[in-house]
Amino acid sequence: MAINKFNIMSKVIKVLGTGCPKCKTMVSVVQDVISQHNIDASIEKVEDIMEIMKFNVMTTPALVIDDVITIKGRVPSKDEVLTLLN
């Protein structure tokens, strides 16, 4: 059975944060969810403060999925990340 690659869009996930412990934890949580559930997604860590400010985010970490800010200022649970990605 052939899969039409145009119907399945890879998620683009950005974790905004300067590298603090909470930011690193968020990256880890998101990576775990993606690998455990075979989700087609790319993760980009955005640590440059000027890039973060383009999203108008003042509290980190922040989770951006397909250019939509979904979480700011806290680390989400794995279940919450899974819900956001589905």
Side-chain angles (χ1 to χ4, degrees):
M1 181 169 131
I3 295 175
N4 181 348
K5 66 180 180 180
F6 298 106
N7 287 341
I8 301 172
M9 295 290 291
S10 177
K11 298 273 186 197
V12 177
I13 301 167
K14 295 179 182 176
V15 176
L16 312 181
T18 56
C20 68
K22 281 186 179 179
C23 302
K24 291 176 182 174
T25 301
M26 182 183 277
V27 170
S28 177
V29 167
V30 172
Q31 286 173 332
D32 286 351
V33 170
I34 288 171
S35 63
Q36 288 172 3
H37 297 279
N38 258 351
I39 295 170
D40 184 18
S42 64
I43 301 175
E44 180 184 339
K45 291 184 266 185
V46 180
E47 295 183 349
D48 179 39
I49 197 73
M50 297 310 286
E51 283 297 311
I52 292 169
M53 290 179 76
K54 288 179 185 176
F55 286 92
N56 205 20
V57 168
M58 296 299 151
T59 54
T60 59
L63 183 65
V64 178
I65 301 173
D66 295 332
D67 289 324
V68 176
I69 299 166
T70 56
I71 292 173
K72 290 189 275 189
R74 63 183 179 83
V75 177
S77 69
K78 289 182 182 181
D79 288 339
E80 189 175 7
V81 172
L82 182 61
T83 300
L84 291 169
L85 291 174
N86 284 329

